[in-house]
């Protein structure tokens, strides 16, 4: 044993709690010092035990022995069948043996035992056999490698700020250590086109990038990821770090090794087809699927990636987002001939290596995938993934999308992952309801026992370090540490969903010794329940990240008004009644089964009030993180109160619109106005609370800077609009995609939308006017911008009429004249054939002026009631 094992002595480098600990006993930890996983586990165990008052000493009579099945040390014990990441604990005399099925099981077993001793004392340890509930518990990480090889969210502030961190080994050590502590064992890194930053392809030596760069230009990509790297951003690059491609490769090999030693596997996911980072390679690559050179590069780069990184466990594919106007069969044929054949090429040269291909079922069909990938090497199983909760995991604990889309019927005997998207919490420490998380995990369908597990993460944010705190740590705190409790709940319960409520209460107590852990746990849970309630109620056409950002009650298209709350129904299968169904039943004297809107509002109010009551007085502490946590709970509670009043306002407005009796119309409108005024006060409380903690940030999928105090203008505009509205029911808006609402302020005076998101054609050459229905709270002038592939054109100085809807007709000849002055004759018409998007700009906004549109159209005759601007 002496040759293979060593004793872990008192480690002076361990950071102890600043609070006094009572010495409880002396323990020796014995492990194989040549096994890096055992070294990590032993150090973590020592840290846990010392924080609980134990000393680590070679003279201890009690031994914790870390070992593996099949070793001499474990040979005298018996145990049941297990699986990867499983472990057994056995006692012999004063010695406790923690016996891992493999290194991952050794890590889980060692951490479990040490945590139990820390929380419950040495007497709590008993013989036990454990294996994971879900084999794979992962993080989805949209990785901002470089401005030239962006991910899907690099246009957001979080993405840009974190580029440098992706090349900092200290970041990855801290991040991967925290993942292991929370029992995560997969990290999937997602990029539009990662290869130029990660590999040197022998056949294309000039297709690799040196150095790490960011851009100083604000990016406005399409919802499909196009224009994430543009000539403008390329012209404004800033070097963050000097690195050769060889140094980059060594860096990522070391990162993967560090993760491997902690039981964490790496997967690489791509969207397709993108050529970011290859534009200046000299090879003439294009993103056309017919480009044989690009196909060859992707195939060669895939093979090189697998060869370069022996610890890479798999690749994930998206048949989109940039594969427009192609049949599903053509897309899958392309992906097999590039990635599939690249995998085959790599495995042909490594006859013992296994690999995994995870194909997302987003924008494609399972049977077509299977038909095209029949030639995949059998050492690389084809598996699938499904967006289990679309973009908002904090909604239903049993989401029905998987059944509605018949995913399980289609995959047959194939294994599958769930992509668990978390795009509700970008600021606050939410997602901390133990009961919700336990139910969410336990209800994941293990169809034919083929569920591999999940990877969880946002598409609209970057889970690196945070950059919004007004009292930041140095270095900036990891998101996984800021939201330590929600990450711990998801990771640990996915490994063992039987962990008790008291276990997590004790974890809170260990993290915040001065807090009443039970009250804090309950308050945190009450506040966290608010988001699932509102996400279930406001769900239809609000399931994607760009469609609904609940922390700000907004979307890519602007603020979510009460009219939108009326028209977006509840989540299917959740027993909630939408506002129209409830309102119609009430007005017609009919009964209706389910949770109605006033009951939803009451539930939100009760949850909010309970959370605020429970944390009252808790913030009188010197613990900075505890204060921040309590402030976040308060903010969520105020947001819940706001949504409660807003739902009541929307309900009463609908009743006013639909009532046939004028007295009832007046009554319900008055109630709705009272609701909106109460909602305004609650939003003000929320905005003050959250703005005291966080600065505004530009969000990737919304393409806007979120300032919660500025949004007060949207909130209050609802009062004035309803007050001035006639009693007659407003007609339905025929073009919901063109309902845009924005607030201008000093740091956010430009908004841009791609035409594809607005349902507007790109060819304007045969039209004479663009007509906008506009509502504004200001007389301040704004510019209306039209962007083509080559130009940005602007009609300046449009002056709105405040507080009423106005039709504004802009002659397209104004834009054509700008083009004619710049290009040869005839080109002005030609260049309006490729319009990409439109924007609103206000040069020096005073206060928080708001501009809203409800319809945008291209016409040849200006409407008679339109104001024609010149």
């Amino acid at each position: 044993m002496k040759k293979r094992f060593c004793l872990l002595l008192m480690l002076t480098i361990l950071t102890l709690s600043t609070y006094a600990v009572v010495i409880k006993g002396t323990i020796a930890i014995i492990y194989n010092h040549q096994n890096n996983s055992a070294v990590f586990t032993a150090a973590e165990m020592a840290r846990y035990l010392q924080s609980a008052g134990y000393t680590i000493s070679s003279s201890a009579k009690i031994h914790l022995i870390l070992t593996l099945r099949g070793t001499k040390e474990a040979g005298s014990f018996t145990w049941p069948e297990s699986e990867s990441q499983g472990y057994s604990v056995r006692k012999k005399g004063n010695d406790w043996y923690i016996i891992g099925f493999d290194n991952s099981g050794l890590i889980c077993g060692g951490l479990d035992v040490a945590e139990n001793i820390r929380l419950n004392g040495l007497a709590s340890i008993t013989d036990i056999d454990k294996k994971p509930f879900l084999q794979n518990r992962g993080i989805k990480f949209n990785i901002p490698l470089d401005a030239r090889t962006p991910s899907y969210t690099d246009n957001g502030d979080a993405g840009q700020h974190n580029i440098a961190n992706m090349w900092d080994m200290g970041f990855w050590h801290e991040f991967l250590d925290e993942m292991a502590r929370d029992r995560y064992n997969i990290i999937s890194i997602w990029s539009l086109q990662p290869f130029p930053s990660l590999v040197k392809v022998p056949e294309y030596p000039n297709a690799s990038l040196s150095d790490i760069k960011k851009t100083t230009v604000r990016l406005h990509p399409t919802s499909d990821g196009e224009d994430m790297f543009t000539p403008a951003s390329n012209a404004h690059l800033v070097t963050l770090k000097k690195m050769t491609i060889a140094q980059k490769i060594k860096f990522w090999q070391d990162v993967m090794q560090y993760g491997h030693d902690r039981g964490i596997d790496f997967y690489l996911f791509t969207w397709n087809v993108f050529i970011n980072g290859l534009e200046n390679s000299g090879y003439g690559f294009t993103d056309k699927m017919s480009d044989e050179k690009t196909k060859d590069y992707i195939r060669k780069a895939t093979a090189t990636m697998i060869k370069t990184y022996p610890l890479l466990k798999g690749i994930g594919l998206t048949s989109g987002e940039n594969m427009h106007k192609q049949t599903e069969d053509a897309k899958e044929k392309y992906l097999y001939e590039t990635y599939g054949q690249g995998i085959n090429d790599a495995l042909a040269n490594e006859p013992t290596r296994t690999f995994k291909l995870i194909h997302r079922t987003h924008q494609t069909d399972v049977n077509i995938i299977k038909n095209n990938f029949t030639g995949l090497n059998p050492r690389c199983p084809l598996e699938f993934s499904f967006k289990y909760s679309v973009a908002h995991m904090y909604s239903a604990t049993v989401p029905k999308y998987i059944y509605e889309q018949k995913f399980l019927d289609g995959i047959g005997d194939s294994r599958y992952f769930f992509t668990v998207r978390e795009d509700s919490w970008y600021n606050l420490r939410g997602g901390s309801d133990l009961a919700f998380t336990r139910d969410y995990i336990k209800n994941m369908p293990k169809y034919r026992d083929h569920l591999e597990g999940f990877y969880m993460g946002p598409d609209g944010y970057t889970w690196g370090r945070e950059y919004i705190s007004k009292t930041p740590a140095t270095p900036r705190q990891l998101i996984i540490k800021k939201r330590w409790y929600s990450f711990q709940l998801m990771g640990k319960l996915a490994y063992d969903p039987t962990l008790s409520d008291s276990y997590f209460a004790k974890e809170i107590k260990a993290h915040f010794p001065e807090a009443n852990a039970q009250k804090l746990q309950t308050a945190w849970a009450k506040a966290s329940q608010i988001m699932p309630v509102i996400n279930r109620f406001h769900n239809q056409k609000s399931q994607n990240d760009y469609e609904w950002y609940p922390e700000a009650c907004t979307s890519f298209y602007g603020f979510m008004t009460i009219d939108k709350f009326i028209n977006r129904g509840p989540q299917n299968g959740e027993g909630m009644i939408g506002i129209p169904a409830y309102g119609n039943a009430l007005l017609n004297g009919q009964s209706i089964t389910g949770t109605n809107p006033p009951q939803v509002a009451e539930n939100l109010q009760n949850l909010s009030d309970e959370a605020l009551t429970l944390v009252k007085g808790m913030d009188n502490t010197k613990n900075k993180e505890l204060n921040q946590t309590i402030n976040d709970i308060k903010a969520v509670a105020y947001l819940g109160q706001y949504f409660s009043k807003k739902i009541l306002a929307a309900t009463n407005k609908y009743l006013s619109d639909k009532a046939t009796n004028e007295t009832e119309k007046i009554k319900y409108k008055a109630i709705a106005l009272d609701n909106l005024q109460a909602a305004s006060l609650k939003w003000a409380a929320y905005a003050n609370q959250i703005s005291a903690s966080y600065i505004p940030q530009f969000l990737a999928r919304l393409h806007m800077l979120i300032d919660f105090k500025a949004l007060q203008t949207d909130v209050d505009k609802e009062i004035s609009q309803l007050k001035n509205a006639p009693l007659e029911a407003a007609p339905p808006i025929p073009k919901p995609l063109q309902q845009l609402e924005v607030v201008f302020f000093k740091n956010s005076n430009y908004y841009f939308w791609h035409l594809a998101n607005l349902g507007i054609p790109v060819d304007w050459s045969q039209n004479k006017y663009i007509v906008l229905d506009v509502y504004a709270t200001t007389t301040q002038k704004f510019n209306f911008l039209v962007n083509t592939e080559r130009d940005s054109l602007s009609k300046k100085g449009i002056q709105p009429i405040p507080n009423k809807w106005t039709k504004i007709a802009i002659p397209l000849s104004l834009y054509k004249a700008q083009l004619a002055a710049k290009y040869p004759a005839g080109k002005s018409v030609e260049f309006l054939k490729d319009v990409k998007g439109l924007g609103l700009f206000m040069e020096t906004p005073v206060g928080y002026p708001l501009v809203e549109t409800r319809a945008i159209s291209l016409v040849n005759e200006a409407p008679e009631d339109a104001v024609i601007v010149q």
Side-chain angles (χ1 to χ4, degrees):
M1 183 180 288
K2 288 182 180 179
K3 291 182 180 179
R4 299 184 60 230
F5 284 76
C6 70
L7 294 171
L8 184 65
L9 305 180
M10 179 68 77
L11 299 178
T12 58
I13 62 171
L14 292 174
T15 302
L16 297 178
S17 169
T18 57
Y19 294 87
V21 294
V22 178
I23 302 302
K24 297 179 179 178
T26 305
I27 297 176
I29 303 173
I30 301 175
Y31 65 100
N32 180 357
H33 68 282
Q34 295 177 336
N35 180 332
N36 289 339
S37 297
V39 172
F40 164 73
T41 305
E44 287 296 299
M45 292 174 71
R47 186 174 65 86
Y48 287 147
L49 296 175
Q50 287 181 310
S51 70
Y54 293 89
T55 60
I56 311 300
S57 171
S58 60
S59 62
K61 294 181 180 180
I62 299 172
H63 299 156
L64 300 178
I65 301 169
L66 293 168
T67 189
L68 296 168
R69 288 193 180 194
T71 62
K72 179 181 177 182
E73 294 74 35
S76 61
F77 300 107
T78 60
W79 43 68
E81 288 188 10
S82 188
E83 60 187 70
S84 178
Q85 304 170 63
Y87 70 88
S88 299
V89 176
R90 297 290 185 270
K91 187 178 184 183
K92 183 193 291 185
N94 287 329
D95 296 339
W96 285 101
Y97 288 79
I98 303 160
I99 307 159
F101 179 87
D102 51 15
N103 279 334
S104 295
L106 185 75
I107 294 168
C108 293
L111 296 182
D112 275 2
V113 167
E115 287 171 2
N116 271 312
I117 296 173
R118 175 173 63 105
L119 299 177
N120 303 305
L122 188 61
S124 66
I125 305 304
T126 60
D127 285 9
I128 192 172
D129 299 292
K130 189 176 282 192
K131 57 185 179 181
F133 180 75
L134 293 178
Q135 264 287 333
N136 296 290
R137 306 163 303 281
I139 299 294
K140 175 188 184 297
F141 198 113
N142 286 9
I143 189 162
L145 291 167
D146 191 293
R148 298 164 293 175
T149 54
S151 187
Y152 205 56
T153 50
D154 283 19
N155 58 309
D157 286 345
Q160 288 297 301
H161 285 309
N162 273 288
I163 291 175
N165 293 327
M166 300 304 97
W167 302 93
D168 173 15
M169 191 60 72
F171 168 86
W172 287 109
H173 284 187
E174 188 179 1
F175 189 91
L176 294 168
D177 283 350
E178 204 65 26
M179 281 185 64
R181 291 170 189 139
D182 291 341
R183 310 300 189 271
Y184 294 99
N185 66 323
I186 279 181
I187 181 166
S188 57
I189 56 177
W190 297 55
S191 175
L192 297 175
Q193 168 55 276
F195 298 125
S197 286
L198 296 178
V199 293
K200 188 174 183 66
V201 181
E203 297 85 352
Y204 298 96
N206 296 329
S208 300
L209 297 174
S210 297
D211 305 329
I212 314 302
K213 296 181 184 289
K214 67 174 293 184
T215 183
T216 58
V217 170
R218 175 66 75 192
L219 302 169
H220 293 282
T222 70
S223 58
D224 289 333
E226 299 168 77
D227 293 343
M228 196 67 79
F229 183 62
T230 65
S233 55
N234 184 55
H236 294 84
L237 293 173
V238 175
T239 300
L240 299 175
K241 188 174 185 178
K242 302 287 288 184
M243 290 183 82
T244 65
I245 189 63
Q247 290 171 324
K248 291 182 179 182
I249 289 169
K250 179 63 166 59
F251 178 90
W252 281 102
Q253 288 172 339
D254 290 347
V255 170
M256 291 186 191
Q257 182 65 57
Y258 193 86
H260 176 77
D261 292 341
R262 282 141 187 80
I264 298 168
D265 292 331
F266 275 74
Y267 287 76
L268 175 68
F269 278 70
T270 67
W271 288 273
N272 290 281
V273 176
F274 293 93
I275 59 164
N276 300 322
L278 298 169
E279 296 90 342
N280 300 315
S281 64
Y283 297 111
F285 297 124
T286 72
D287 61 3
K288 307 299 181 187
M289 287 174 55
S290 58
D291 189 330
E292 292 297 325
K293 185 170 288 187
T294 301
K295 284 178 62 177
D296 185 64
Y297 169 77
I298 295 175
R299 176 174 178 169
K300 297 290 198 306
T302 300
T304 304
M305 187 82 191
I306 297 169
K307 178 181 178 181
T308 302
Y309 298 102
L311 294 177
L312 183 68
K313 291 295 181 180
I315 285 177
L317 297 181
T318 309
S319 54
E321 315 291 325
N322 194 27
M323 302 177 91
H324 302 301
K325 298 179 181 179
Q326 299 291 331
T327 66
E328 291 177 355
D329 189 67
K331 291 192 289 186
E332 296 309 326
K333 182 174 185 289
Y334 182 94
L335 292 176
Y336 174 73
E337 291 177 351
T338 50
Y339 295 96
Q341 291 287 37
I343 291 170
N344 287 345
D345 296 342
L347 296 186
N349 294 319
E350 298 185 54
T352 63
R353 185 169 178 179
T354 59
F355 203 67
K356 191 174 289 185
L357 177 62
I358 304 172
H359 200 309
R360 300 178 67 202
T361 53
H362 179 59
Q363 298 185 2
T364 187
D365 178 84
V366 169
N367 290 323
I368 294 175
I369 297 170
K370 288 183 175 182
N371 290 339
N372 278 280
F373 280 80
T374 55
L376 194 63
N377 190 303
R379 285 183 283 116
C380 179
L382 173 64
E383 301 189 356
F384 297 96
S385 78
F386 182 84
K387 283 203 290 189
Y388 185 55
S389 298
V390 191
H392 297 288
M393 67 174 285
Y394 293 110
S395 53
T397 56
V398 191
K400 302 299 189 294
Y401 310 115
I402 193 169
Y403 305 108
E404 292 169 351
Q405 298 182 34
K406 298 182 179 180
F407 170 77
L408 297 176
D409 298 337
I411 62 168
D413 291 328
S414 301
R415 300 185 67 80
Y416 59 96
F417 285 82
F418 287 142
T419 304
V420 175
R421 288 274 302 282
E422 208 294 77
D423 281 286
S424 293
W425 300 105
Y426 295 159
N427 284 263
L428 302 167
R429 292 168 172 84
S432 300
D433 177 21
L434 168 58
F436 178 95
T437 306
R438 193 197 310 278
D439 288 346
Y440 187 85
I441 290 165
K442 291 178 71 175
N443 284 314
M444 286 183 175
K446 291 185 171 184
Y447 179 71
R448 298 182 182 177
D449 205 29
H450 286 169
L451 174 61
E452 289 273 22
F454 67 85
Y455 32 82
M456 169 188 71
D459 247 7
Y461 205 63
T462 301
W463 273 355
R465 296 193 185 277
E466 70 82 24
Y467 285 89
I468 58 174
S469 174
K470 287 188 172 180
T471 56
T474 304
R476 291 275 184 166
Q477 190 178 33
L478 296 179
I479 298 296
I480 196 174
K481 282 190 169 181
K482 172 185 173 179
R483 292 183 56 190
W484 67 272
Y485 187 51
S486 66
F487 277 92
Q488 191 175 115
L489 289 177
M490 193 68 183
K492 288 185 176 181
L493 287 171
Y495 185 85
D496 180 8
T498 69
L499 288 173
S500 67
D501 292 11
S502 62
Y503 170 87
F504 288 103
K506 290 174 181 177
E507 285 283 11
I508 291 174
K509 186 66 176 178
H511 200 90
F512 297 128
E514 63 274 75
N516 182 322
Q518 193 67 55
K519 285 181 68 175
L520 181 57
Q521 183 183 44
T522 305
W524 218 341
K526 294 291 183 184
S528 295
Q529 287 165 26
I530 289 167
M531 194 65 78
V533 172
I534 195 63
N535 283 343
R536 292 197 300 272
F537 183 76
H538 183 79
N539 185 267
Q540 301 299 322
K541 299 180 182 178
S542 298
Q543 297 159 358
N544 289 297
D545 49 4
Y546 66 92
E547 293 177 317
W548 175 231
Y549 170 44
E551 276 188 326
C553 191
T554 195
S555 73
F556 173 83
Y557 301 100
F559 192 68
M560 283 293 182
T561 63
I562 53 174
D563 285 324
K564 292 177 182 178
F565 264 64
I566 290 169
N567 295 320
R568 283 159 170 76
Q571 190 166 358
N572 292 339
E574 292 303 305
M576 288 182 170
I577 303 168
I579 291 173
Y582 168 75
N584 293 340
L586 184 66
L587 292 171
N588 293 318
Q590 300 170 341
S591 62
I592 190 166
T593 303
T595 305
N596 63 45
Q599 290 170 332
V600 173
E602 182 181 18
N603 186 17
L604 288 168
Q605 185 70 45
N606 290 340
L607 290 171
S608 303
D609 293 347
E610 290 176 63
L612 289 171
T613 299
L614 286 163
V615 298
K616 190 174 182 179
M618 277 193 192
D619 51 0
N620 295 323
T621 174
K622 295 181 180 179
N623 187 320
K624 174 182 172 182
E625 186 184 5
L626 178 56
N627 276 328
Q628 292 171 332
T629 301
I630 292 165
N631 287 338
D632 279 7
I633 291 172
K634 288 180 179 179
V636 179
Y638 294 140
L639 179 62
Q641 292 176 334
Y642 168 75
F643 280 129
S644 173
K645 303 305 180 188
K646 188 182 188 86
I647 290 170
L648 292 175
T651 303
N652 284 296
K653 180 185 184 299
Y654 183 84
L655 291 169
S656 176
D657 288 345
K658 296 300 181 181
T660 56
N661 180 291
E662 185 170 343
T663 301
E664 283 195 323
K665 282 181 173 291
I666 293 170
K667 178 186 74 172
Y668 286 125
K669 180 176 179 179
I671 297 172
L673 281 169
D674 286 344
N675 297 147
L676 284 177
Q677 286 162 347
S680 175
L681 294 175
K682 297 304 181 184
W683 184 271
Y686 171 60
N688 286 332
Q689 184 69 61
I690 195 170
S691 299
S693 299
Y694 304 112
I695 64 172
Q697 63 174 326
F698 191 91
L699 291 179
R701 299 290 284 151
L702 303 185
H703 294 220
M704 67 176 71
L705 186 74
I706 298 298
D707 184 320
F708 294 93
K709 288 190 174 182
L711 287 167
Q712 188 75 47
T713 304
D714 294 276
V715 172
D716 293 341
K717 183 257 330 184
E718 297 212 86
I719 300 172
S720 60
Q721 270 194 344
L722 181 58
K723 191 177 293 184
N724 297 327
L727 283 176
E728 291 75 21
I733 303 299
K735 299 180 178 179
L737 292 181
Q738 295 162 23
Q739 296 176 51
L740 310 175
E741 183 170 329
V742 296
V743 176
F744 296 93
F745 50 100
K746 180 180 178 182
N747 296 320
S748 186
N749 64 347
Y750 173 61
Y751 294 90
F752 178 82
W753 298 270
H754 286 273
L755 294 191
N757 296 110
L758 305 180
I760 298 174
V762 299
D763 185 354
W764 295 12
S765 60
Q766 302 304 311
N767 299 109
K768 294 182 179 180
Y769 296 92
I770 183 165
V771 180
L772 318 172
D773 275 9
V774 174
Y775 182 96
T777 61
T778 180
T779 59
Q780 295 180 62
K781 296 178 180 180
F782 65 87
N783 300 347
F784 186 80
L785 285 75
V786 173
N787 283 7
T788 70
E789 288 287 347
R790 296 177 58 175
D791 301 281
S792 181
L793 313 170
S794 178
K795 172 61 188 89
K796 298 181 179 180
I798 299 173
Q799 186 163 31
I801 300 172
N803 301 317
K804 65 175 292 186
W805 285 102
T806 308
K807 266 192 179 62
I808 296 176
I810 306 173
L812 295 183
S813 59
L814 298 174
Y815 299 115
K816 292 176 182 178
Q818 294 177 38
L819 290 169
K822 186 176 180 181
Y823 296 107
K827 291 290 184 179
S828 60
V829 174
E830 178 182 332
F831 284 144
L832 283 182
K833 286 184 176 182
D834 62 352
V835 178
K836 292 189 66 176
L838 55 84
L840 297 176
F841 174 77
M842 190 175 288
E843 189 167 354
T844 54
V846 177
Y848 295 111
L850 177 148
V851 174
E852 178 182 2
T853 70
R854 63 182 179 188
I856 304 171
S857 57
L858 293 164
V859 299
N860 284 322
E861 296 290 336
E864 290 184 3
D865 58 345
V867 176
I868 301 176
V869 299
Q870 298 295 339

